[in-house]
Structures are given as structure tokens and as C-alpha cells.
Amino acid sequence: MMIDGRKWRSGTASHQPIFGLHAMSPTSEVSNLCLGKTVRDSRTDIIGSISAVSSSLIVGKAGPMVHTGACVASLLSQGGSKKYGLTWRWLRFFKNDRDRRDLVTCGSAAGIAAAFRAPVGGVLFALEEMASWWRSGLLWRTFFTTAVVAIVLRAFIDLCLSGKCGLFGRGGLIMFDVYSANVSYHLADVPPVLLLGIIGGILGSLYNFLLDKLLRIYNLINEKGIFYKVFLACLISIFTSCLLFGLPWIATCRPCPADTSEECPTIGRSGNYKKFQCPDGYYNDLASLIFNTNDDAIRNLFSKGTNDEFQYSSILIFFSTCYFLSIFSYGVVAPVGLFVPVIVTGASYGRFVGMLVGAHSNLNHGLYAVLGAASFLGGSMRMTVSLCVVILELTNNLLLLPLIMLVLLVSKTVADAFNGNIYDLIMKAKGFPYLETHAEPYMRQLSVSDIVTGPLQLFQGIERVGNIVHVLRTTKHNGFPVIDEPPLSESPVLFGIILRAHLVTLLKKKAFLSTPVLPGGSDASKQFSAGDFAKRGSGNSDRIEDVVLTEEEMEMFIDLHPFTNASPFTVVETMSLAKALTLFREVGLRHMLVIPKISRGSPVVGILTRHDFMPEHILGLHPLLVRSRWKRLRLRFPPLSKLF
Amino acid sequence: MMIDGRKWRSGTASHQPIFGLHAMSPTSEVSNLCLGKTVRDSRTDIIGSISAVSSSLIVGKAGPMVHTGACVASLLSQGGSKKYGLTWRWLRFFKNDRDRRDLVTCGSAAGIAAAFRAPVGGVLFALEEMASWWRSGLLWRTFFTTAVVAIVLRAFIDLCLSGKCGLFGRGGLIMFDVYSANVSYHLADVPPVLLLGIIGGILGSLYNFLLDKLLRIYNLINEKGIFYKVFLACLISIFTSCLLFGLPWIATCRPCPADTSEECPTIGRSGNYKKFQCPDGYYNDLASLIFNTNDDAIRNLFSKGTNDEFQYSSILIFFSTCYFLSIFSYGVVAPVGLFVPVIVTGASYGRFVGMLVGAHSNLNHGLYAVLGAASFLGGSMRMTVSLCVVILELTNNLLLLPLIMLVLLVSKTVADAFNGNIYDLIMKAKGFPYLETHAEPYMRQLSVSDIVTGPLQLFQGIERVGNIVHVLRTTKHNGFPVIDEPPLSESPVLFGIILRAHLVTLLKKKAFLSTPVLPGGSDASKQFSAGDFAKRGSGNSDRIEDVVLTEEEMEMFIDLHPFTNASPFTVVETMSLAKALTLFREVGLRHMLVIPKISRGSPVVGILTRHDFMPEHILGLHPLLVRSRWKRLRLRFPPLSKLF
């Protein structure tokens, strides 16, 4: 079952979701990745995720849920799927970049909301980690989405109360309920909590570091072909299985506690006390953690009134197993998430710290496990508010909130001293051109004109068809400035910017003029409707190679004016690069025109796209900056880096 | 006591905090309002707020808390207060616009966190309602602030457990705890909840409408002088007192319930059952609501197991009293907040609906009161996520979350059909130039060049001192484009933008040149340190009127180049006004240069400030647009508007 599930998956799809990645970029890779094959992908995601989770790999289901949500949203934004007969006319209103981005963000939020039954946490997670830019309209849309998710979830839990839907209704809306009316902690409890935060920060940044290195190795293996991919997946799966079945033998049997209300020991059902080869009246504590689903393991670790359940050695073994297995399991071809493994791992060392502090603390071990999970989440994902709310919604313990905030503060601060957050690292390892929000310090030394490269491709307001075809065929640019030059005007005039997709549409319709003179009255735009320029699904976009034109048509002209965006965003060439990046990211742009500071000659000196702002590109042009002192302060361990 | 408190207040300070208003604007009115008199203001805020709340006016304490937090933050950002000897050298790092804005946002978040003991809600409220622009760094800073607030709060509650601090420790971190482990609701409970949402939306928008009208009337009265102000405050206070003492006489005495664990009836202490002129064994339900603090009234309304406590008539009387008294109390000179009155009012009609639905529902009346409070908050404040989290943190009932989300969705949607949110309305009524985030539909019809007005004031790169003094004295502009013209360059070159404050600093230091020729090597910037250009507190900024120059000096020159910001944000004159507004707001600008589309002549055609984007200014220039069909869809009731 386990290997089948993986095989099936590896045979049909070759990409793998990174938790929320697809919604992050300011442009539409998300759509590029999701679209076209969306329906199939969502399906494979769901099946692959079920297989991976049920195979007891240390992986989470949140990632695939988010990916599924985002893909369904993306599907909606391209007007449904023609192949599967799922199209509606009203969906055409979403066929534009902004709505597509918004829908994908909403879809991801819905995924989180469904995975953790945390609707508010879903909204915040989508905004803090996934959305590349934020506006109040988007907040309202995501809130709407997750509210619907919450209501539907609640309704299904209601319908499932009779037990018809397996374990779905169990736990209700709160997955790991640790509520207790009289949680009390005092100042003496703060030092161990601070310690947890520091440990979480260090372990979290190390986790990110190792995962990053491993992903790069996996990339090398995966590039060699499907056979290697499947082999890798099988290898890790078999290794995981052997390890998990073998490990509980290390732990000694312990007598069942006398005062528990739970059944002890148990076989073949979820519970705190697993029998695993022990005599009656005894249980194996390591097996109680390992032979459960991840969710149940978390529940066991979080549970109160079980302070003596685990031995030090079992918890430590479980912690290191989870820590490394979750890293190894992430890179394989199955669609997996990071949230649950991180919570399991964090909870195990949290519980360990709780056991060490022991009776000196007012908090029970279960609450230490919650704080440990928070610290590890903070240390690897580096979010604040959204993690707070997600943990609150998962555990329903509001009284613990000040401590959770403290732990998150400390672990994030510690971890930020070493490296970046896990999603950024994964995106870099995967090679996605993700543009960070903040400007690197060396960007303050550069002006925009320092990074403008290459010959600028301009179009005249009334341009020869052959020219357009030539430029489109020989370059890969997606936007072109449109200039009116003499004799159309006295001096060169910046008219606007036109997109490649729109040019191809124009060429396909062959709305040509025979002379370069503007005909009074006749307007080519009347031949087009807004739908002609609607955003297509990425698989379906028109390509210039498909346009066939005669020699005669090549000599004709197009009036670009009605189709040009006359409101291009511009920066002066002396603009600081850091400020230009801020503008680019805050407003969510794709193209930015660079205009000269001097009032003479061409009104445009260059065009900037996301590619031009990528640190690799800038440092490639200005290699001296690599060694400049203008770097972000970050602790580095060269020996450790050399090791890999 | 009550009137004294108000008098004292009205005698010393003349402005009044609007909940979070000061942190909203993209520029620094917040500082302008807060600075200079900050220490005194915070003090008056605290005292005034205590007086107003203890005088049982229907007002909240959150507003003054937020204002105090923001003012303290603003004080820090201007480097402390010299007058009170509170200065530190390290504070000089915050002497710039961005840090000041951030600090003020953090201060407001801390205010909310302290007022409601809702740290996460505070962060979200600050971001959703107060911050005019959002970035991840700000999120981290506000989170840090409220985390510290939460920990300090928790520590003080810990220290106060022995009861030394009055009621401070009561209720712990959760002000209105309505937790119950087995809240169950089913599909049948959805219709009354939807009804609550709709009522909340209608009542909320009506509330905003009435408050807006009343504030305008109060403004007229307050303008007449301090005597009128005090008179108004006394009048409302006396009216409130008489009303509140008189009203309970209407209600009939009810027998104490037999099965309650609470004392009944009580005199002179907070509790569910107030005696108020009733015989022993009886209580007056209206007095139980009115003769409590607002907090205790909310607790009574939210409490479970008291389904039969109130009569229909008492609840209705209490609701209408709160609804109208809170409107009347808001505009007076005392520093008051809106949150608590809105919660009381909402809870009362929520409880009423709960009583109407009665036994048909699975929810108890207390939970209906919670939902009612949520619906009224949503209907008047129009926030979503932050209200959800604040309510969650106030009531500690996570299981109710789906219903709260539903209620907020419905009430916000309904209310948005009528008018804007309460803070925007108040700001407009107070005449603050607040720039909204979204573009009005008619802005899409205009281009930037349509709203550029007035003669443009330019400076040369090397400018005559007399010229600068003249321009500074005759205009009120805060930013001036700097151009290099022949003979300094061959064609006019856009060099950048210089601020008025910096020009005044230059004039004061008298770093003049005797000839307009750039001296090789000698650089005036060496005479200055960064501290000279640091942002001042608004009371302390240098004014051009204070600069005294001789005739001789007036004929000298200044080299502006080293002091000019060479990275001005620019837009082409053909840019759509809606897009320019987006840029202005998203990036948080103060000045934006308008550059010509044609490459000849002056490199700048105008400069845009916030004032130019204000709808009043635009509609003043293009009066035809007022009647154009490009308006936001909103239901209007002309007869109702004419009434006032």
C-alpha cells in the first residue's frame, strides 16, 4: 500500500507542492504550475497525500490541502476546465491577474483552514506567509473563504456526529484540545520557557539548513529520471518502515498506571498506551508514539495527566527519529506538508524539557509539549501572529497565550540570526525566481540605471507588422514600451507599455493598416471585445510561433494605441535600487519603465522586470558587491557549510 | 466627581482622541497631534478616561488607552521630552518618519492589547484598522510590542492574585469568559444567527449615520468656545445620570431564582441581581444592568444559566438607552472609546433575540448576547479578522468561532451597503485629511495631469538664497523639485526633490557660496551631520520666519545637490489617477513628481501631495464627475439625510 501509493504518484506527476509556495510569487508561477493540469493534479495531490500520510511517513497533510485549494482556485480563475466539461460563463470575470492571485491566496487559506480546522489561522497564514502583497480587499475575501470553510466543516461534523464518517467528527473543531480551566504559571516558569525558545530557534534553523542541503541533493537525483525518483521514494519508504518497526524494541516495557481512565494496554486502535510485544498490564511508550498516526502522537504528547507516561530515552529517540525522518521524507516525490512533522518534533523535545524541569514547574508536561511545538514552528517557519492563532485554534488554550508569544519571539529571534525561513529556502533550492520583500543592504548603493541591461526593444505607436513579429520571435520579453516618434509627433513621446500576449492576439486577428498614417475615425479596437484579451490558462496561451502571416501582411502596419496600457509605472534612472524594489513589490508590478533624468532623446532608457531585481542578477553585474560590507548581519558557520 | 473630571479635562486640552485615528494617516498628523504636548496629553487622557468611565457614561476605555499608547510611542520617536527631563541619546535613532509611524502603530496595538487583554487581537486591529500601510517588519514589531504587553499583564495579574490591586486580577486574562465544554449548535440555529447578522448590519450602519450627524452638530457647538463645551458635557452628564437613576423604576421587581449560586439580591457590589428598592428576595433586572460598570453589564448579559433573569421590556429599554446614550456621550470633550459601548449595545439586542428564539435554540441566551455583540461590532466597525480574534480573546469560546464568523460576514455585508465604517466617518466629520486606500470609481476616468494645479515651484541645483527664502515665505509646499538647467547641464535634468525642513536647516546654517559656479572639491555637506536633518517634534520644527538673513547673504547661492533626495517617486502625466493613488498609498508617499510624456522642455510638470488626491479637491476641479454614473454602489435614503 505504502509503496504502491508512492509509485502511482511518481508515475503520473513530476512536481511536488511546496507548502503555499505557488501563491507567493508576485507574478503567476502559481498559475503556471497549477493551470492546465489542474484537475489531474488536485486528484493526484489528494491520493498521493492520503498514501503518504497513511504510510506513516513523517509528513503532513496541510501542504497538499493548501496546494489543492490553490489549484482549484486557479482552475476557477481560468474559467473552469474545458477538458472535463467544467466551465461556466460567469467565471470569465476572474480571467485577470489580480483576481487570479486573490483566488489562489483564498484557496490556500481555505486549505489551511480545512487542514487544521483553523479558519482565522488560515487567513493569517495566507497573508503572513503566502500573499506577496496585501490589501484590505484581499483580507475580506480570504476571511469570507475561510468562514465558509468553517461553517461547512462545522456542518459536516454535525452530520457526522452519529459516527458515520470514521474519525472525521472526533475532536470536533479543535484538533488537539488541551483546555484546562486552571492553567496557572508564575514567574518561576519563565526560564524553562525561554530555554525552550532558544532550543527551538537553534533546532529550527538547523532544520532549515539540513532540509535545504538535502533538497539540493534530491534535486540532483530527481533530475536523472523517473526511475531514480521512484527508487529514492521506495528507499526512503522502506528505510522508514524498518526503522519505525525496529525502534520500539529498544524501549523497555512499563507497567500501566493504576489511576488512568484509559484502556491500557491497547492493540490496533489509537490510544496513549500501546501493548507492542509487552505482557498484559504493561505498555511500550515508544510504540505509543510511533504506532499512531502523527495526529494521535501529537495528542499523546500534548495530553495532560500523563506526566509519567514516557521515559527520557523514548522521548529522545522519538525526537531524533522525527527530526531526521521528516527531513528525509520531505524531498521525495509524494505531496507532503511540513506543519505536522514540525509540530510532532517540537512537541517531543518540549515534553522532554518538561520532564527535565519536572516538579519544579507549575505547567504539566503536555503544556510543555505545546510550547515546544510552538518554539520549533517559530524556529523553522518564522511567522508570528499566524502561528499564534493557529496554535490557539489547535489547542484551545487561551490562557497559555502569553507564554506562546514569548516562545515565538525568542525562537524566531534566535533562528533569524542564522538563516532565512524554511519556505524561502525551499523556493531557492527549487530554483523559483521569488523576489523577497525587503531590499538587500547593497541595493542602497546602486541606482536603477546600474542594473538596466541589454538593448531596449521599443515599438512605435504605429508599427510595421514584420517588425513586431521579428521582435516577438527573437526576444522573450513580455512587455514593450510604445513610443510615438516624429513624424507622428514633434518630439518622442512615451505612450505606454504593451504586453506580448496582447500583441499576439492582435497579430492573430490581423487588424492591420495598409499605411502608417493614422486613419481618421476607423478604430481597430472595435474589432475586439474585452474577452479577446482576457488572461488565459498558461497551457492555452497563444504563441507567436503559431501566427502565420504572408509576406504582404508583414509589410502592413498595426495601430498599437488603443491596445497600449497608457499608465505604465515609471522610475527615474537615478532612483535608488532599494526604493525601486520597494515600489515593485508593494504595488505588485511586472514591468517598470526606467525614464531618463535628462529631458532629451528617448523618453525611456530601459525596462525592469522581476528578473532584474533578483540578487543573483544584480551581483552578477556588480561582482564587487558580493564581498562588500553591505551585507545583512547573519551568523555563519563556514565549517558546517563546507561539510555539505 | 463626574462633572469635575470632565471640567478639568475640558479646561486643559481641546482635542479628543478618535480610536486609533491618529495612526491612520499616511503622513504624520498623528505626530502633529500627539507631539509637543504628549506628556500632558497622556496624563489628561488617563484621568479623563477614568472620570468618564467611573461616571457611568456609556463610553469605553479602549480609545484613551490606544491614544495613550500612541502618544507615548510618539514621544519616544521624538527623542523623549526635554521639558520633563525624559531624554535618551539612543532615542535619536527613531527620529525619522518611518520609525515614528511604526512606533505609533505599535503603541496603538499595545493600547488595545492592554484594554482588552487581547494581544493578538491588538496586533490585528492595529494592522486592519489603524496602519495605513503594512509590511512584514511592522507585523513583527507590533507582535513584539503586544507580546511584551501580554507578559507584563500576566505578571501583574500574578502579583495581584492576593487581591491587593482591587479588581485588576479578576477575570484573569479573559475579560468575559463564556467557555463551556459542550457548546452544541445545529443547522436549526443558523437562521436566528443570520437574523442577528442582518439586524447588526442595519443597526450598525444607522449608528454610524447618527454618530456622524451628531458629531457635526457637536462640532458647531464646540467651536463657540470652552464655555459651550463644558456646558454640553455637563448637560449630557446630568441627563445621563437622571436617566439612569430614573429608568429602573420602570422595571418591576422579580423574585430571585431558587437555583442560583449567586447572592440575590445584592446592594453596592457587582453582581447579576441588584436589589434597587425591591423587597428582600426580589431583584430589579434593569438595575442589574444599569447600576453596574459597563464591563459587569456585559458579563451579566454574556452569562450562561441565567436564561430567565431578564424581562423583554428591561432588555429593550436597556438596549435603546445604550444605543442612544453612547452616541450622545461620544462627542463630548472627554476622551472615550467606542468598543465597550458597542459591545454592551450589541449584547443587549443579541440577548433579546435569544429570548425571542427561546427554547427553540440549542444556544443559551448568553451566547446569543456574544453573537449580538459580534454583529453590532461588525456592523459599525466593519472589521473581520481582528474582531474575530478580539471576541475570541474576550470570551474564550473557540467553539463558537464559525457562528461568529458567519455573523460578522453578514453584518458587514449588510452595513457596507449603506455607509462606510465608523472611524472613516468620524475622521471625515472631524475634518482630518485622511486618504482612503481604494480609488473611487471616477478616478479611473482621470489622468494625473487632470489634477495637477497651480504654478510649479522649482529650484535650480545651485539656487540663489533670496529665491529660496521668497518661495518658502510665499508658499506652504513641503517639497520642491530640484532641476539642473543650462549652463550647469546641456538640457534640463531632473535631479530630485528637497524638503522644506531641510531647506530651512540649510538657511539657518548659512552654508552659502558666493558664486553660482560649483567649487571643485569643497562640499557643503561636510558642515552638517545626519542629526541636523533628523525629524523634529512638530512643535519644535524650524520655521522660515525665524531665519534672519542680510541683504548680502540673500544674493549668495546654495548648492542643493548634496541635500536633495535623488530618488523621487515619479508618474507620467498620462497615468491613470486611480493607479497613481494606489502607488501613493501602497508605498506610503508624501510627494510624487509628475513627469511629462514628451521628451522636451521641463523634466517635471507638477508635484502631487495627499491634498491633490482628496476627493473634495478632485471633484472641485471636475464638478461634472459628481453626477457621473461612476460612483460606488451604495443604498441611499435621501429623505433620511434631509431630516438632519
Side-chain angles (χ1 to χ4, degrees):
Chain A
M1 166 68 195
M2 155 175 46
I3 299 172
D4 280 352
R6 211 88 46 58
K7 253 185 193 160
W8 186 90
R9 164 79 194 176
S10 28
T12 52
S14 60
H15 81 273
Q16 168 219 355
I18 297 162
F19 200 132
L21 152 79
H22 306 322
M24 282 169 176
S25 88
T27 62
S28 65
E29 298 99 323
V30 48
S31 322
N32 297 341
L33 284 167
C34 279
L35 290 176
K37 40 183 181 173
T38 307
V39 173
R40 203 185 63 197
D41 261 24
S42 305
R43 209 179 51 198
T44 57
D45 255 12
I46 295 165
I47 297 176
S49 159
I50 293 173
S51 314
V53 172
S54 62
S55 73
S56 76
L57 278 182
I58 311 283
V59 297
K61 62 191 176 179
M65 291 275 243
V66 169
H67 193 236
T68 306
C71 280
V72 170
S74 180
L75 187 72
L76 285 179
S77 75
Q78 66 169 313
S81 165
K82 273 187 195 143
K83 191 174 162 199
Y84 292 84
L86 298 166
T87 47
W88 293 277
R89 259 186 76 74
W90 56 268
L91 285 178
R92 73 182 185 282
F93 294 116
F94 301 130
K95 280 187 158 188
N96 62 66
D97 280 339
R98 203 184 66 166
D99 283 333
R100 183 175 290 187
R101 268 195 276 197
D102 283 6
L103 274 171
V104 169
T105 307
C106 290
S108 329
I112 295 273
F116 297 122
R117 304 185 178 179
V120 179
V123 174
L124 294 174
F125 189 88
L127 291 176
E128 190 170 353
E129 187 55 44
M130 289 188 226
S132 34
W133 52 289
W134 183 91
R135 56 206 170 79
S136 59
L138 185 57
L139 187 68
W140 170 236
R141 287 172 181 205
T142 39
F143 183 80
F144 188 93
T145 315
T146 60
V148 171
V149 170
I151 294 158
V152 170
L153 257 182
R154 187 61 190 71
F156 272 109
I157 288 173
D158 208 27
L159 291 174
C160 291
L161 273 185
S162 47
K164 271 178 275 181
C165 339
L167 293 174
F168 182 80
R170 253 193 64 184
L173 271 182
I174 298 147
M175 289 178 74
F176 314 119
D177 199 340
V178 298
Y179 182 84
S180 56
N182 48 359
V183 175
S184 72
Y185 47 91
H186 305 289
L187 286 176
D189 296 320
V190 171
V193 170
L194 285 177
L195 178 73
L196 262 184
I198 295 168
I199 296 176
I202 295 171
L203 287 177
S205 55
L206 185 66
Y207 189 85
N208 293 2
F209 175 78
L210 293 176
L211 189 58
D212 181 39
K213 295 294 170 198
L214 194 89
L215 274 184
R216 287 173 199 272
I217 295 169
Y218 277 7
N219 278 351
L220 293 180
I221 297 173
N222 287 340
E223 273 167 13
K224 292 190 178 166
I226 278 189
F227 174 76
Y228 285 89
K229 272 189 200 176
V230 177
F231 181 72
L232 181 68
C234 294
L235 199 73
I236 288 178
S237 173
I238 292 169
F239 175 70
T240 304
S241 302
C242 295
L243 194 67
L244 293 189
F245 276 96
L247 277 178
W249 293 103
I250 303 176
T252 52
C253 290
R254 313 193 76 196
C256 283
D259 57 346
T260 179
S261 57
E262 269 193 89
E263 204 182 325
C264 172
T266 59
I267 305 175
R269 54 177 286 278
S270 64
N272 265 350
Y273 305 100
K274 288 273 180 189
K275 194 173 177 198
F276 190 77
Q277 315 282 350
C278 286
D280 270 345
Y282 284 78
Y283 70 98
N284 185 316
D285 58 344
L286 193 50
S288 307
L289 292 171
I290 288 180
F291 283 168
N292 267 323
T293 61
N294 288 330
D295 284 2
D296 278 326
I298 295 174
R299 247 174 235 126
N300 286 352
L301 287 168
F302 281 2
S303 60
K304 60 189 166 189
T306 53
N307 278 1
D308 298 321
E309 185 182 344
F310 302 104
Q311 311 173 51
Y312 287 107
S313 59
S314 305
I315 287 277
L316 268 188
I317 292 170
F318 183 66
F319 160 68
S320 34
T321 313
C322 284
Y323 192 83
F324 293 105
L325 273 191
S326 65
I327 295 177
F328 281 109
S329 310
Y330 184 76
V332 295
V333 284
V336 296
L338 280 169
F339 238 104
V340 171
V342 166
I343 293 180
V344 177
T345 314
S348 59
Y349 77 72
R351 184 116 189 171
F352 185 74
V353 170
M355 285 157 71
L356 284 182
V357 177
H360 300 294
S361 170
N362 300 294
L363 295 171
N364 67 49
H365 297 178
L367 296 182
Y368 269 104
V370 172
L371 293 173
S375 77
F376 197 41
L377 282 170
S380 75
M381 302 192 175
R382 315 288 166 81
M383 286 164 289
T384 49
V385 185
S386 53
L387 282 182
C388 250
V389 175
V390 167
I391 293 169
L392 194 63
E393 290 189 288
L394 282 177
T395 63
N396 190 22
N397 198 328
L398 194 64
L399 293 169
L400 213 56
L401 188 62
L403 289 186
I404 289 176
M405 291 179 93
L406 180 66
V407 143
L408 283 175
L409 270 188
V410 175
S411 67
K412 180 177 152 71
T413 311
V414 170
D416 271 344
F418 297 106
N419 52 20
N421 87 52
I422 197 161
Y423 299 121
D424 288 359
L425 290 178
I426 292 173
M427 273 195 291
K428 266 192 197 159
K430 295 254 162 193
F432 292 109
Y434 175 69
L435 196 58
E436 296 215 37
T437 326
H438 57 83
E440 294 288 332
Y442 58 75
M443 292 185 186
R444 285 184 225 145
Q445 291 181 294
L446 296 173
S447 72
V448 166
S449 57
D450 293 331
I451 60 158
V452 170
T453 51
L456 177 65
Q457 299 290 350
L458 291 169
F459 287 128
Q460 304 288 322
I462 296 181
E463 183 62 87
R464 208 172 61 86
V465 172
N467 230 355
I468 296 177
V469 172
H470 174 74
V471 169
L472 289 185
R473 286 209 176 130
T474 52
T475 69
K476 299 211 156 198
H477 301 175
N478 271 313
F480 303 92
V482 176
I483 311 285
D484 278 333
E485 279 186 354
L488 269 175
S489 65
E490 286 174 46
S491 299
V493 171
L494 172 60
F495 190 77
I497 188 169
I498 193 161
L499 297 181
R500 166 182 286 262
H502 296 179
L503 283 173
V504 174
T505 309
L506 287 180
L507 291 175
K508 274 209 155 176
K509 273 257 183 166
K510 304 193 177 175
F512 302 149
L513 309 171
S514 49
T515 56
V517 186
L518 204 66
S522 115
D523 188 352
S525 65
K526 283 175 194 150
Q527 301 177 31
F528 295 88
S529 72
D532 292 330
F533 294 102
K535 177 90 183 166
R536 306 283 169 84
S538 67
N540 316 322
S541 64
D542 296 324
R543 292 184 312 147
I544 181 66
E545 285 77 16
D546 304 336
V547 177
V548 183
L549 295 171
T550 62
E551 278 293 320
E552 208 169 300
E553 285 167 336
M554 290 293 245
E555 292 303 321
M556 291 173 84
F557 295 87
I558 304 187
D559 178 12
L560 296 180
H561 291 107
F563 312 103
T564 302
N565 172 5
S567 296
F569 284 91
T570 52
V571 286
V572 195
E573 55 181 334
T574 53
M575 175 76 121
S576 144
L577 188 58
K579 278 175 95 172
L581 176 64
T582 307
L583 166 60
F584 198 82
R585 279 298 262 106
E586 296 272 348
V587 188
L589 301 183
R590 289 188 166 191
H591 305 102
M592 200 154 74
L593 297 184
V594 180
I595 54 172
K597 64 174 183 173
I598 193 159
S599 243
R600 216 182 40 183
S602 168
V604 187
V605 296
I607 187 165
L608 292 179
T609 61
R610 184 172 38 152
H611 170 73
D612 296 304
F613 285 105
M614 298 303 293
E616 301 79 46
H617 177 246
I618 298 170
L619 292 177
L621 287 173
H622 302 276
L624 284 178
L625 290 175
V626 179
R627 299 183 161 275
S628 81
R629 67 186 184 88
W630 290 98
K631 261 191 192 161
R632 188 197 295 249
L633 201 67
R634 195 153 261 177
L635 299 176
R636 301 218 175 260
F637 297 102
L640 197 63
S641 299
K642 270 180 204 154
L643 209 69
F644 293 87
Chain B
M1 165 70 194
M2 153 174 48
I3 300 170
D4 280 353
R6 210 91 42 62
K7 253 184 192 162
W8 186 90
R9 163 82 194 173
S10 28
T12 52
S14 61
H15 81 274
Q16 167 219 356
I18 296 161
F19 200 133
L21 152 80
H22 305 322
M24 283 170 176
S25 89
T27 63
S28 64
E29 298 98 322
V30 48
S31 322
N32 297 342
L33 284 168
C34 279
L35 290 177
K37 41 182 178 173
T38 307
V39 173
R40 202 186 60 197
D41 261 24
S42 305
R43 209 178 50 198
T44 57
D45 255 13
I46 295 165
I47 298 176
S49 159
I50 293 173
S51 315
V53 172
S54 62
S55 72
S56 76
L57 278 183
I58 310 283
V59 297
K61 61 190 175 181
M65 290 276 242
V66 169
H67 193 235
T68 306
C71 280
V72 171
S74 179
L75 187 72
L76 285 179
S77 76
Q78 66 169 311
S81 164
K82 273 189 195 141
K83 190 174 161 198
Y84 292 84
L86 297 166
T87 48
W88 294 276
R89 260 188 76 72
W90 56 268
L91 285 178
R92 73 183 184 280
F93 295 116
F94 301 129
K95 280 188 157 187
N96 61 65
D97 280 340
R98 202 184 66 165
D99 283 333
R100 182 175 292 188
R101 268 195 278 198
D102 283 5
L103 274 172
V104 170
T105 307
C106 291
S108 329
I112 295 271
F116 297 122
R117 304 185 179 178
V120 179
V123 174
L124 294 174
F125 190 87
L127 292 176
E128 190 170 352
E129 187 54 44
M130 291 189 227
S132 33
W133 53 289
W134 182 91
R135 55 205 170 78
S136 60
L138 186 57
L139 187 68
W140 170 236
R141 287 172 181 205
T142 39
F143 183 79
F144 187 93
T145 316
T146 60
V148 172
V149 170
I151 293 158
V152 170
L153 257 183
R154 187 61 190 72
F156 272 109
I157 289 174
D158 208 26
L159 291 174
C160 291
L161 274 186
S162 46
K164 271 177 275 180
C165 337
L167 293 175
F168 181 80
R170 250 192 67 183
L173 272 183
I174 298 148
M175 291 177 71
F176 315 118
D177 200 340
V178 297
Y179 182 83
S180 56
N182 48 1
V183 175
S184 72
Y185 46 92
H186 305 289
L187 286 176
D189 297 319
V190 171
V193 170
L194 285 177
L195 177 72
L196 261 184
I198 294 168
I199 296 176
I202 295 170
L203 287 177
S205 55
L206 185 66
Y207 189 85
N208 293 2
F209 175 78
L210 293 176
L211 189 59
D212 181 39
K213 294 294 170 199
L214 195 87
L215 275 184
R216 286 172 200 273
I217 295 170
Y218 277 8
N219 278 351
L220 293 179
I221 297 174
N222 287 340
E223 272 166 14
K224 292 191 179 168
I226 278 187
F227 174 75
Y228 286 89
K229 271 190 201 176
V230 177
F231 181 73
L232 180 68
C234 294
L235 199 73
I236 287 177
S237 173
I238 293 168
F239 176 69
T240 305
S241 302
C242 295
L243 193 68
L244 293 189
F245 277 96
L247 277 178
W249 293 102
I250 302 176
T252 52
C253 291
R254 313 192 77 195
C256 284
D259 56 346
T260 179
S261 58
E262 269 192 88
E263 204 183 323
C264 171
T266 61
I267 305 174
R269 53 176 287 277
S270 65
N272 265 351
Y273 305 99
K274 289 273 180 188
K275 194 173 176 200
F276 191 80
Q277 314 282 351
C278 288
D280 269 346
Y282 285 78
Y283 71 98
N284 185 317
D285 58 345
L286 192 49
S288 306
L289 291 171
I290 288 180
F291 283 169
N292 267 322
T293 61
N294 288 330
D295 284 3
D296 278 326
I298 295 174
R299 248 173 235 126
N300 286 353
L301 287 168
F302 282 2
S303 60
K304 60 189 167 190
T306 54
N307 278 3
D308 298 320
E309 186 182 344
F310 302 104
Q311 311 173 50
Y312 288 107
S313 60
S314 305
I315 286 278
L316 268 187
I317 292 170
F318 183 67
F319 160 68
S320 36
T321 313
C322 285
Y323 192 83
F324 293 105
L325 273 190
S326 65
I327 294 178
F328 281 109
S329 310
Y330 183 78
V332 296
V333 285
V336 297
L338 280 170
F339 239 104
V340 171
V342 166
I343 293 180
V344 178
T345 313
S348 60
Y349 76 72
R351 184 115 189 171
F352 185 75
V353 170
M355 286 158 71
L356 283 182
V357 177
H360 299 296
S361 170
N362 300 293
L363 295 171
N364 67 50
H365 297 179
L367 297 182
Y368 269 104
V370 172
L371 293 173
S375 77
F376 197 42
L377 282 171
S380 76
M381 304 193 173
R382 316 285 166 84
M383 286 164 290
T384 50
V385 185
S386 52
L387 283 182
C388 250
V389 175
V390 167
I391 294 170
L392 194 63
E393 289 188 287
L394 282 176
T395 62
N396 190 23
N397 198 328
L398 194 63
L399 293 170
L400 213 57
L401 188 61
L403 288 186
I404 290 176
M405 293 178 93
L406 180 65
V407 144
L408 283 175
L409 270 188
V410 175
S411 67
K412 181 177 152 71
T413 311
V414 170
D416 272 343
F418 297 105
N419 52 20
N421 87 53
I422 197 162
Y423 298 121
D424 288 359
L425 290 178
I426 292 173
M427 272 195 291
K428 265 191 199 160
K430 294 255 163 193
F432 292 110
Y434 175 68
L435 196 58
E436 296 214 38
T437 326
H438 58 84
E440 293 289 331
Y442 59 75
M443 293 185 185
R444 285 183 224 143
Q445 290 181 294
L446 297 173
S447 73
V448 167
S449 58
D450 293 331
I451 61 158
V452 169
T453 52
L456 178 64
Q457 300 290 350
L458 290 170
F459 287 128
Q460 303 288 323
I462 295 181
E463 183 63 87
R464 208 172 62 87
V465 172
N467 230 354
I468 295 177
V469 172
H470 175 74
V471 169
L472 289 185
R473 287 209 175 131
T474 52
T475 68
K476 300 211 154 199
H477 301 175
N478 272 312
F480 302 91
V482 176
I483 310 285
D484 278 333
E485 278 186 354
L488 270 174
S489 64
E490 287 175 47
S491 298
V493 171
L494 172 60
F495 190 77
I497 188 169
I498 193 161
L499 296 181
R500 166 182 286 261
H502 297 177
L503 284 172
V504 175
T505 308
L506 287 179
L507 291 175
K508 275 210 153 176
K509 273 258 183 168
K510 304 194 177 176
F512 301 148
L513 308 171
S514 49
T515 54
V517 187
L518 205 65
S522 117
D523 188 352
S525 64
K526 283 176 194 149
Q527 302 178 29
F528 294 87
S529 72
D532 292 329
F533 294 102
K535 176 89 184 167
R536 305 283 169 81
S538 68
N540 316 321
S541 64
D542 297 324
R543 292 183 314 148
I544 182 66
E545 286 76 18
D546 304 335
V547 177
V548 182
L549 295 171
T550 63
E551 279 293 320
E552 207 169 301
E553 283 167 337
M554 290 293 246
E555 292 302 321
M556 292 174 83
F557 295 87
I558 304 187
D559 178 13
L560 297 180
H561 292 108
F563 312 103
T564 302
N565 171 4
S567 296
F569 283 91
T570 52
V571 286
V572 195
E573 55 181 334
T574 52
M575 175 76 120
S576 144
L577 187 57
K579 278 174 96 172
L581 175 65
T582 307
L583 166 60
F584 198 82
R585 279 298 261 107
E586 296 271 349
V587 188
L589 301 182
R590 290 189 165 191
H591 305 103
M592 200 153 73
L593 297 184
V594 180
I595 54 172
K597 63 175 183 172
I598 194 159
S599 242
R600 217 183 40 181
S602 168
V604 187
V605 297
I607 187 166
L608 292 180
T609 62
R610 185 172 37 149
H611 169 74
D612 297 304
F613 285 105
M614 298 303 292
E616 300 80 48
H617 177 246
I618 298 170
L619 292 177
L621 288 173
H622 302 274
L624 284 179
L625 290 175
V626 179
R627 299 184 162 273
S628 80
R629 66 186 185 89
W630 289 98
K631 262 194 191 157
R632 187 198 295 248
L633 202 67
R634 195 153 263 177
L635 300 176
R636 302 218 173 257
F637 297 102
L640 197 63
S641 298
K642 271 180 204 154
L643 209 68
F644 292 88

